Amino acid sequence: MPSNVEIKARVDSVSLLAQKAGALSQSDGTVIKQRDTFFHCSHGRLKLRDFMDGSGQLIFYERPDSDGPKLSRYSISPTSDPQTLREVLSCSLGVKGEVLKERRLFLIGQTRVHLDTVEGLGHFMELEVVMRPDQTVEEGQQVARGLMEQLDISEASLVTGAYMDLLLQTRSAPQTS
């Protein structure tokens, strides 16, 4: 199964981070709109990513819910009919929830840097160091930590879990008046 080392962090200044990522990638990044539908499954996470252009990906992944660079193993299957696939999976597994986001993707070496605006949550950054077959997890973690330093991402801004987990926590938090 392919793997990557990844981190997720809250972002205070979207423009500053975009400027730094743009300089490192020597690009303006690519904007991608996504709707991720998460389904109930017995282990790991299963989501359907709809690019809202008639294409999508069914993605299964496993990774620990911890902050800092962590290994994620995943399988991806492309689809040209995400709406019908969503209906089938919804009926068979049940929907855990949906995440709507606008992602700005920067490629820096072997790392995908995502600057995400997530509906209902705010602004985040994800690093995904795409592992080569000959690389160790520790080497991937070193690449991630090096980029964290170059992008000025502090340990205090790191978050655990998936956006879906954060949305579910926000919805279940007691409301104050």
Side-chain angles (χ1 to χ4, degrees):
M1 204 183 294
S3 63
N4 59 37
V5 169
E6 59 184 69
I7 63 135
K8 185 185 317 274
R10 289 195 180 276
V11 172
D12 291 326
S13 174
V14 174
S15 58
L16 183 59
L17 185 59
Q19 185 179 40
K20 289 177 183 181
L24 290 171
S25 70
Q26 298 179 342
S27 78
D28 292 330
T30 303
V31 175
I32 308 164
K33 292 184 186 279
Q34 300 175 342
R35 177 174 58 189
D36 291 345
T37 304
F38 284 78
F39 301 95
H40 297 287
C41 64
S42 59
H43 68 281
R45 292 185 174 94
L46 181 67
K47 68 182 173 185
L48 177 64
R49 174 159 291 157
D50 186 341
F51 293 111
M52 297 184 277
D53 65 358
S55 69
Q57 299 172 324
L58 184 62
I59 304 168
F60 170 78
Y61 65 101
E62 296 176 295
R63 73 162 185 253
D65 288 331
S66 60
D67 60 8
K70 57 200 154 280
L71 184 68
S72 176
R73 297 188 187 280
Y74 58 90
S75 292
I76 299 175
S77 179
T79 180
S80 59
D81 190 0
Q83 290 180 331
T84 302
L85 185 54
R86 180 182 299 104
E87 290 171 20
V88 170
L89 291 167
S90 297
C91 290
S92 61
L93 299 174
V95 173
K96 188 174 187 178
E98 285 192 344
V99 176
L100 293 167
K101 67 180 172 244
E102 183 173 280
R103 169 166 279 179
R104 192 162 164 196
L105 168 66
F106 299 91
L107 299 174
I108 302 172
Q110 73 188 89
T111 305
R112 297 169 56 91
V113 177
H114 304 141
L115 183 51
D116 293 337
T117 300
V118 183
E119 191 174 293
L121 288 179
H123 304 288
F124 294 83
M125 185 274 317
E126 285 185 349
L127 294 179
E128 292 179 351
V129 180
V130 180
M131 301 294 289
R132 295 187 307 262
D134 62 328
Q135 275 185 305
T136 65
V137 174
E138 291 77 19
E139 289 170 326
Q141 290 171 329
Q142 285 177 339
V143 171
R145 290 198 186 283
L147 266 175
M148 283 175 62
E149 212 171 283
Q150 289 179 290
L151 295 170
D152 290 324
I153 303 299
S154 71
E155 295 279 334
S157 66
L158 296 178
V159 296
T160 62
Y163 294 136
M164 185 74 258
D165 301 328
L166 296 173
L167 282 168
L168 290 172
Q169 288 171 6
T170 300
R171 291 181 191 143
S172 66
Q175 302 296 314
T176 58
S177 328

